[in-house]
Amino acid sequence: MPTFALIDGNSFYASCQIAFQPELQKRPVVVLSNNDGCIVAANAHAKALDQKLGRSLGSGGYHAARTNSMMFQPYFKVAKLLKQHNTVVFSSNYELYADMSQRMHDIIGQFSPHQEIYSIDESFLELSTLPIDNLSDYAQQIKQRVHQWLGLPVAVGIASSKTLAKLANHLAKKQPNLNGVLDFESLSHSTQTLLLKQVKVGQVWGIGKRLSQQLESRNILSAYDLQQACPKSIRKQFSVNVERIVEELNGQACFSLHETHPNKQQIISSRSFGQLVESHALMKQAVASYTATAAQKLRQQNSVCKRLSVFITTPPFQTDRPQYRNLYQIPLIYPSDNSVLLSKVAIKALNHIWKPGYAYQKAAVTLSDLSEKGALQTDLFAPNPHYSGNPKADQLMQVMDELNHKMGKGTLNLANCGLQQQNRWRMNRNLMSPRYTTRWNELLTVR
């Protein structure tokens, strides 16, 4: 029988900030989304303010996204109250979070030869092949090492299926007496039943909002109710995937560990601008920059694309402004992963849909029709492919990627991306902390 462990970082974004400013451990801490728009992460102290803030604001806006939760609330609506409660607010520091995530997964991977990196802050381990006397003690070792080496708190859930391990992790976070670790299989059957009854069906891994509503309409309200449902009946009413979730809740492993992730079939690079863009020159810089980012991701998975599209839009909810949005797609004669070529194609696509006189809020570049990079079949009637399969072009991209990986993102850019300090279209991050682990000039100084 397999044994899965799910290790999940607690309030990961907020914890990354606190790791470098430990004096914030007893204060509420929240992290904002792109352009400092909404709250996307909060530590335990900040979450404890939820009901208090909800009562203060009443029904006039705070409950718009989720009842009694500050998560995903527009920052400007709660900024004043957060300040009153001595809350520390950070802009999203994606460079820091990505690097801390990689370090955390590397540490977790030391505890098993079989690891699935599920998300930025979650890893599955398969432990059944290891000579472990006490799984809870082993999980505590994982938890302690991550905290000692990185300063990040994690919770560990252990069970005979991935769905139960995910559920055990959820319970380990919710119940302080468990000290962040729960081996679900070590519990008595009656205790397991009691815990499953406490978990709403919508909190089961793989059960989304719409599906949970459908299940609740059939009086399946908790994880226990779903566990007791007839798998064949569930399959007829819903899908084979939901049937597998039922089997997983009964301890039968239906979802295996994915130690390598399949390549993406489409790569999108898109962000809202820090301020509205009316200049064609600035829009070209943004589109070229997004294309370079997408092309780097393409090279990371050793793929090439044969189709590129560019999308631009004005703010859809600002009805007092002229509205415009459009998309243009260009097929490539030869598939490519070269930032120079792809940025030129992207600017060509932009020129087809650009209209002056509008204030644009967002652009998106999509690379599609992806395939694995390999031998190139040339076209007798097409021009020589200068950027596709050319050793010098490939070497240039390799040097560019290596420098940006070693010295920090944006160290070496294409000229058509513009200078970083002059790119007024970049997203606002006015409350961002230093990138402690990826920028030499932002390292902590010990005095």
Side-chain angles (χ1 to χ4, degrees):
M1 177 183 291
T3 301
F4 296 98
L6 176 66
I7 301 91
D8 182 15
N10 299 345
S11 306
F12 184 72
Y13 285 4
S15 294
C16 288
Q17 302 290 170
I18 296 169
F20 292 91
Q21 298 183 56
E23 69 275 11
L24 303 181
Q25 287 181 358
K26 296 184 179 180
R27 291 179 60 183
V29 175
V30 299
V31 178
L32 306 178
S33 63
N34 294 345
N35 293 308
D36 297 340
C38 299
I39 296 172
V40 293
N43 70 343
H45 293 287
K47 290 174 182 176
L49 295 175
D50 277 4
Q51 289 191 358
K52 190 171 185 179
L53 289 175
R55 288 194 299 269
S56 299
L57 288 171
S59 58
Y62 184 75
H63 297 277
R66 289 173 61 187
T67 304
N68 294 331
S69 176
M70 71 172 69
M71 297 298 289
F72 310 113
Q73 292 297 321
Y75 172 56
F76 73 90
K77 289 188 176 182
V78 293
K80 186 176 179 180
L81 283 165
L82 290 174
K83 186 176 181 180
Q84 290 175 0
H85 291 85
N86 200 28
T87 303
V88 184
V89 182
F90 290 101
S91 300
S92 291
N93 190 337
Y94 298 115
E95 296 89 339
L96 175 65
Y97 307 150
D99 188 67
M100 292 291 280
S101 171
Q102 182 62 56
R103 293 167 187 253
M104 184 183 78
H105 290 313
D106 287 346
I107 294 170
I108 293 169
Q110 297 172 8
F111 288 86
S112 173
H114 306 292
Q115 177 186 25
E116 176 187 343
I117 298 175
Y118 180 68
S119 70
I120 191 171
D121 61 346
E122 292 176 287
S123 264
F124 282 104
L125 298 180
E126 215 289 307
L127 304 177
S128 61
T129 59
L130 301 176
I132 302 171
D133 294 329
N134 187 303
L135 288 169
S136 293
D137 290 346
Y138 196 70
Q140 287 293 345
Q141 291 178 37
I142 300 173
K143 183 173 177 286
Q144 289 164 11
R145 185 176 297 182
V146 173
H147 190 266
Q148 182 179 359
W149 290 14
L150 292 179
L152 297 177
V154 300
V156 185
I158 302 171
S160 57
S161 71
K162 291 172 75 175
T163 301
L164 281 176
K166 185 90 170 174
L167 188 144
N169 184 284
H170 169 77
L171 293 168
K173 289 182 178 181
K174 295 295 182 183
Q175 301 193 22
N177 62 301
L178 295 174
N179 195 25
V181 170
L182 175 58
D183 177 7
F184 195 77
E185 304 302 326
S186 68
L187 304 176
S188 66
H189 183 265
S190 59
T191 303
Q192 288 181 358
T193 299
L194 181 64
L195 291 174
L196 288 173
K197 287 181 177 180
Q198 294 176 10
V199 178
K200 294 180 180 179
V201 70
Q203 294 175 318
V204 174
W205 187 40
I207 304 296
K209 182 179 179 180
R210 183 176 297 179
L211 185 55
S212 68
Q213 291 173 344
Q214 294 173 353
L215 289 167
E216 288 168 0
S217 68
R218 291 166 172 77
N219 207 33
I220 299 176
L221 308 178
S222 68
Y224 176 76
D225 296 333
L226 186 58
Q227 182 198 49
Q228 298 302 306
C230 174
K232 291 183 179 179
S233 175
I234 287 291
R235 180 173 184 168
K236 286 181 180 179
Q237 296 178 61
F238 299 98
S239 68
V240 65
N241 194 59
V242 184
E243 178 193 23
R244 288 171 179 164
I245 292 173
V246 174
E247 299 285 8
E248 289 252 319
L249 287 173
N250 283 281
Q252 181 179 336
C254 299
F255 304 129
S256 59
L257 212 64
H258 299 290
E259 298 182 50
T260 58
H261 291 280
N263 286 342
K264 294 181 179 179
Q265 298 304 304
Q266 186 181 70
I267 295 176
I268 301 174
S269 181
S270 172
R271 287 238 171 95
S272 296
F273 302 135
Q275 62 186 53
L276 297 179
V277 170
E278 300 181 63
S279 162
H280 185 226
L282 287 178
M283 181 64 85
K284 285 199 298 183
Q285 290 180 7
V287 167
S289 179
Y290 293 167
T291 305
T293 298
Q296 184 180 15
K297 294 178 181 178
L298 193 65
R299 293 191 292 273
Q300 286 174 351
Q301 66 175 40
N302 194 38
S303 295
V304 288
C305 77
K306 204 172 181 180
R307 194 173 299 275
L308 181 149
S309 63
V310 173
F311 169 77
I312 55 176
T313 182
T314 55
F317 302 110
Q318 294 187 14
T319 53
D320 56 324
R321 293 178 176 271
Q323 298 287 304
Y324 174 72
R325 57 169 50 195
N326 208 342
L327 178 146
Y328 194 83
Q329 191 174 90
I330 296 180
L332 278 66
I333 297 175
Y334 297 111
S336 179
D337 63 359
N338 189 281
S339 297
V340 178
L341 170 67
L342 294 176
S343 66
K344 289 180 179 180
V345 173
I347 291 174
K348 183 178 178 181
L350 171 66
N351 291 337
H352 276 277
I353 56 178
W354 172 264
K355 282 190 177 182
Y358 292 92
Y360 294 93
Q361 179 199 38
K362 184 178 182 179
V365 174
T366 302
L367 306 181
S368 56
D369 200 358
L370 307 188
S371 60
E372 186 176 354
K373 186 170 184 176
L376 179 68
Q377 178 66 51
T378 57
D379 189 319
L380 178 64
F381 302 102
N384 186 42
H386 298 290
Y387 300 101
S388 299
N390 186 313
K392 289 187 177 180
D394 288 345
Q395 289 170 9
L396 175 62
M397 292 299 100
Q398 183 179 353
V399 170
M400 186 175 180
D401 291 344
E402 288 177 354
L403 277 172
N404 286 330
H405 177 74
K406 183 177 181 180
M407 306 302 294
K409 183 180 177 181
T411 300
L412 185 61
N413 264 331
L414 301 179
N416 57 8
C417 295
L419 298 175
Q420 283 198 359
Q421 60 270 27
Q422 296 177 359
N423 289 343
R424 299 191 300 273
W425 49 267
R426 291 188 180 275
M427 65 177 175
N428 294 322
R429 293 195 285 180
N430 299 320
L431 303 169
M432 193 174 81
S433 67
R435 291 158 288 192
Y436 301 102
T437 62
T438 57
R439 296 291 177 121
W440 288 107
N441 61 338
E442 296 180 23
L443 289 174
L444 280 174
T445 302
V446 180
R447 298 177 181 175

